[in-house]
Structures are given as structure tokens and as C-alpha cells.
Amino acid sequence: MTLALSATPASYVPNSAASGYRIDADELFRAMTEALLHDGNIDLSMQKAFRWGFQDHEGDKVAGLRDLMQRLREDRQQLLASLESSLDGQAGPDPAGGELEDASELGDLQEGGHPADADIDVRQMVGKMEAMERSLRQVESIDDLQNIDLELISTTLTGEEQEWVEQWVRMKGILAAEGLVVEVGDRLDLTPRAIRRIGEHALAALFSSLGQGNTGGHDVHGRGRTGVLADSSSSWQYGDPFALDLSRTMMNSIRRHGPGAPVRMVAEDFEILDREARTS
């Protein structure tokens, strides 16, 4: 399935910058990890990512079918508004009042008139965008993408969006080529490599979110409150356990106030012994 963006009205600039449409197979599989751990249903997990989109490891949104439909709807409304403004400038206000809702209302305007070529191009584009929206609403599964008219795809979608459609059409083959899935009859099964990949993603997510606990037994990088005393010390802050490092506290006081007796101490002089961190 090879697509090419055909000519569109000069006034039409697709508003698709808000969401990314480039899919990385590994990022997709990583995003499906949670659902796969829950039920192992690769088809269901793919359909969810396809319809709603997903986030990559950097937190950037990869668009889904709903995002594409929303983009088309907003752009179509923008074109209708610009066309209505253009026709109002040619023939005065619409006696019926209100705004255009879809392409079917365009023929009711300018009866007996001769709209400019640019307006005709916009009318045609609005009609095609409507048809594309209807086609996308009828998509129940990824396989249904192959039933959409190629001319509609090439006319109404940007090059990146066309690539998005093409990638989803080929996604089962892409994952199979990566050694992550295997087709068994009419369903997909996970391979041993995929199961190992799921485990890697799950463990990475688990250990990246470890925080300090009160009584846990696992080391983490950072200061703790109840672990074994360390060789280092830090400035005391209100609420810290008061395991005072007396020698360093005294030196802080002498540096601040100078030698002499009695030694004058303030809270800023206190240093406490660090403890190894633990997490639960």
C-alpha cells in the first residue's frame, strides 16, 4: 500500500502538528506492556493503541485513530468557516443565519451564482474530508483500514498521516519481522522473545519508580532515614534524625564564630551522619 499526497486547495493547511504520527514498533510494544501483562491478548492491545494512541518512553504522544478523526473534523470546520466568509463577501449575509455544518449545505448557497474556482476547490475538499471522516468512523479494527478509498487518503491526509495508516496496515507483519509475534490461525501469539521483552520493560518501569521507604530492605542511591550509618555527613535540616557528627559540627562552629570558649553553636552548624537508603 503506497500513498502519495495529491494537490489540495492552497488555503488548506492541515493542522496536524499537535500530535505525532510516526510509529516505532519497539515503542508501540513497550506501550502495550501493561495490557499484555494483564491478559496477554496482543490483538486487543494493538487495537487499543491504534484507536487511542500511546505515549513513548519520553512521554510524547503518538496519535491514534481518534486523534486523526478529530484533526479532520477541526480542519473541515475551519474550511467551512472560511468558505462561508468568502460567500458572505460575494452575496451578503445568509438569510437563514447560522453557520455551515457540512458539505450538503453548500449547494443551498449562491443559487444561480458563479462561485470562484477557489471556492469550488474548497467545496470539493470539504466533501472529501466528510467522506474520509465517515470512512474512519466505520473502522472497527486495524484490518478495516485497507477498505478506505486510496484517493481519499491521498487527498485529505498529510504525508505523515498517510505513513501512519500504512504502518498500521503492515503492523502485524512488522511485529512478526521483529520476532515479537507469530500468527496462529486468525490470531497473534507472543513469542518467547516478546515475553522476555515484556519482562524487561516491566522491570525497567518498576525499578525506575523506586522511592525511599521506611522499613524496606533494598538499597537505592540517595540518603535514607533508618538504614546503616554511612561515612559521610550532611547539614541538618528540621525533621532529620539527630545523629550528630560532633567533630564536624564543632569545626563548623569554629569556622563561623572563631576560636574561644564557650563554643557558640547555631542550627546552621549542625551536621548529621548520613544513613544508607532503603526502599520497600
Side-chain angles (χ1 to χ4, degrees):
M1 181 178 183
T2 303
L3 308 172
L5 185 63
S6 63
T8 58
S11 60
Y12 175 54
V13 179
N15 182 26
S16 58
S19 298
Y21 286 87
R22 296 194 180 277
I23 307 170
D24 179 90
D26 187 62
E27 288 288 354
L28 169 62
F29 198 79
R30 183 202 59 79
M32 295 191 302
T33 294
E34 183 176 350
L36 290 172
L37 285 170
H38 183 261
D39 55 20
N41 190 323
I42 184 70
D43 289 293
L44 187 61
S45 301
M46 284 181 60
Q47 296 293 347
K48 181 179 178 181
F50 162 68
R51 187 163 295 276
W52 298 102
F54 59 92
Q55 286 188 331
D56 63 19
H57 72 285
E58 295 181 348
D60 295 328
K61 174 70 183 295
V62 178
L65 179 65
R66 298 288 180 131
D67 300 300
L68 180 56
M69 293 173 63
Q70 179 67 20
R71 199 279 294 172
L72 281 168
R73 187 177 304 113
E74 291 174 354
D75 280 13
R76 180 173 60 85
Q77 291 171 349
Q78 181 180 342
L79 282 176
L80 284 168
S82 67
L83 179 59
E84 183 178 23
S85 176
S86 174
L87 292 176
D88 284 345
Q90 296 174 26
D94 176 15
E99 297 180 352
L100 296 172
E101 292 294 334
D102 55 48
S104 64
E105 298 184 26
L106 297 177
D108 297 334
L109 296 173
Q110 290 287 314
E111 290 187 9
H114 301 283
D117 290 342
D119 290 343
I120 294 176
D121 290 343
V122 173
R123 291 169 186 247
Q124 293 174 347
M125 175 55 68
V126 169
K128 290 178 180 180
M129 293 174 75
E130 270 194 278
M132 186 63 182
E133 282 185 70
R134 286 195 298 270
S135 297
L136 292 176
R137 281 196 296 268
Q138 295 171 3
V139 171
E140 296 293 337
S141 68
I142 297 171
D143 294 336
D144 293 338
L145 288 174
Q146 300 182 69
N147 300 327
I148 300 178
D149 189 301
L150 290 180
E151 194 273 336
L152 282 179
I153 292 177
S154 65
T155 303
T156 61
L157 303 187
T158 67
E160 191 176 55
E161 290 167 347
Q162 293 176 49
E163 184 179 347
W164 178 90
V165 172
E166 186 173 352
Q167 280 188 290
W168 274 115
V169 169
R170 299 187 296 109
M171 188 54 66
K172 291 182 181 180
I174 293 173
L175 294 179
E178 292 283 333
L180 299 174
V181 301
V182 59
E183 293 194 50
V184 180
D186 58 351
R187 76 174 195 277
L188 295 176
D189 276 355
L190 295 171
T191 64
R193 180 180 182 182
I195 294 172
R196 289 194 299 271
R197 184 78 63 85
I198 293 171
E200 291 171 3
H201 289 320
L203 288 173
L206 173 65
F207 283 104
S208 66
S209 63
L210 288 178
Q212 294 184 5
N214 292 326
T215 59
H218 304 285
D219 290 341
V220 294
H221 298 290
R223 294 172 53 195
R225 296 175 64 88
T226 60
V228 177
L229 288 173
D231 295 331
S232 60
S233 63
S234 305
S235 298
W236 176 80
Q237 296 181 5
Y238 181 78
D240 288 341
F242 203 67
L244 194 65
D245 186 328
L246 186 58
S247 61
R248 293 183 183 177
T249 299
M250 292 284 290
M251 290 303 298
N252 289 340
S253 178
I254 292 172
R255 278 195 296 267
R256 186 185 300 273
H257 305 291
V263 177
R264 298 171 55 199
M265 289 187 183
V266 295
E268 289 77 9
D269 297 329
F270 295 154
E271 284 207 24
I272 58 171
L273 295 169
D274 292 334
R275 293 180 180 270
E276 295 178 356
R278 292 287 189 270
T279 179
S280 56

